[in-house]
Amino acid sequence: DAKTTQPNSMESNEEEPVHLPCNHSTISGTDYIHWYRQLPSQGPEYVIHGLTSNVNNRMASLAIAEDRKSSTLILHRATLRDAAVYYCILVGLHGSSNTGKLIFGQGTTLQVKP
Amino acid sequence: DTEVTQTPKHLVMGMTNKKSLKCEQHMGHRAMYWYKQKAKKPPELMFVYSYEKLSINESVPSRFSPECPNSSLLNLHLHALQPEDSALYLCASSQDMGLPSGRPDEQYFGPGTRLTVT
C-alpha cells in the first residue's frame, strides 16, 4: 500500500492559517488523496479529498503538487476546535489493493494556541 | 442525518464473556466498516461489508465475528477476548466502496465503543 509521511506535530495560533504537509512519493495514478481528522474523544471526521486539482470546501483547502507526490491541507483560520490529529490517506479505486481501505498513518497532531 | 450511532459507549467484559457491539446508520450507505484503535495509535481497519456481504477481513482473529443483518446495521460479536483487545472500536459507513462513481467515497465514523477486557 502506498505510504504517506506527515510531521508528528504542528502548532498554530488561533485565527491564523495552517498548512499541514503530506508526502506520498509512491502514489499511484489512481490513488485519491483523502484527509480526515480526529478530535479528542471522537471518531475520525472526513475533511476533504482530491485527485489532481486543488480542492476547496467549507472546512479546508487541499493543494496538490503537480507531480502528486505531496499535498498540503490548508485551514484558512485555525480555531481552538481545529485542534486534532490530521491524517493524510491514499485511497484507491475499485480493483486496487487499497480500494475502500483507509490505512491510517500516525498523522499530525495540531495544537492551536489562543 | 449524517450520523453513525454505536452502542454501547463503554463495555467491560471478562475473558470468558460473549458480548456484541452494535452500529447503525440511516444514510442509505451500502458499505460499512469496523476499525480498532488502541490508545494514542491510529485506527486500524478490521472488516468491510459491501452490500451486506463481507468484502474485506484484515486477518482478524476469529474471536471477533462481524455480522451485517441488513443495510443499516452492523454488529461485532466478541467471544473469548484477551486483555490486549481492549481498545476503542469504531464503526464507519460510506455510500459504497466507490463502485458506481468510480471514486472512493468519504467515510462517516461513529463515536466508538470503548472496550475493556479484564
Side-chain angles (χ1 to χ4, degrees), chain B residues 44-83:
Chain B
E44 295 177 0
L45 181 65
M46 299 174 72
F47 302 104
V48 182
Y49 272 82
S50 177
Y51 291 82
E52 294 139 64
K53 290 190 180 350
L54 184 63
S55 178
I56 296 175
N57 176 344
E58 292 286 274
S59 303
V60 179
S62 60
R63 58 186 185 268
F64 296 90
S65 175
E67 178 197 21
C68 189
N70 61 56
S71 58
S72 301
L73 274 177
L74 186 66
N75 298 321
L76 186 62
H77 303 298
L78 313 172
H79 173 54
L81 294 194
Q82 305 296 312

Side-chain angles (χ1 to χ4, degrees), chain A residues 32 36 38 44 93-94 101 105, chain B residues 33 37 42 58 99 102 104 107 109:
Chain A
Y32 281 75
Y36 284 76
Q38 189 171 19
L93 290 176
H94 181 64
K101 291 185 179 185
Chain B
Y33 310 78
Q37 186 173 25
E58 292 286 274
L99 301 176
Q107 294 184 21
F109 284 79

Side-chain angles (χ1 to χ4, degrees), chain A residues 32 34 36 38 41-46 49 87 91-94 99-106, chain B residues 33 35 37 40-43 45 48 56 58 88 90 97 99 102-107 109-111:
Chain A
Y32 281 75
H34 281 228
Y36 284 76
Q38 189 171 19
S41 302
Q42 294 190 26
E45 174 187 31
Y46 166 80
H49 76 272
Y87 297 102
V91 187
L93 290 176
H94 181 64
T99 299
K101 291 185 179 185
L102 294 183
I103 310 296
F104 288 82
Q106 294 303 310
Chain B
Y33 310 78
Y35 291 83
Q37 186 173 25
K40 299 197 185 302
K41 297 289 186 183
L45 181 65
V48 182
I56 296 175
E58 292 286 274
L88 180 68
L90 294 159
M97 289 176 69
L99 301 176
R103 64 169 180 81
D105 295 307
E106 52 267 32
Q107 294 184 21
F109 284 79

Side-chain angles (χ1 to χ4, degrees), chain A residues 11-74:
Chain A
E11 277 187 4
S12 171
N13 294 318
E14 199 176 9
E15 298 192 4
E16 288 186 358
V18 182
H19 288 62
L20 296 162
C22 180
N23 287 322
H24 30 78
S25 58
T26 59
I27 189 170
S28 79
T30 55
D31 282 340
Y32 281 75
I33 302 159
H34 281 228
W35 283 81
Y36 284 76
R37 71 180 185 181
Q38 189 171 19
L39 279 63
S41 302
Q42 294 190 26
E45 174 187 31
Y46 166 80
V47 178
I48 199 167
H49 76 272
L51 183 61
T52 56
S53 304
N54 295 345
V55 185
N56 300 298
N57 67 18
R58 65 174 179 80
M59 289 181 72
S61 296
L62 177 59
I64 301 172
E66 202 169 324
D67 63 5
R68 299 205 334 122
K69 294 186 176 183
S70 65
S71 61
T72 302
L73 179 71
I74 303 164

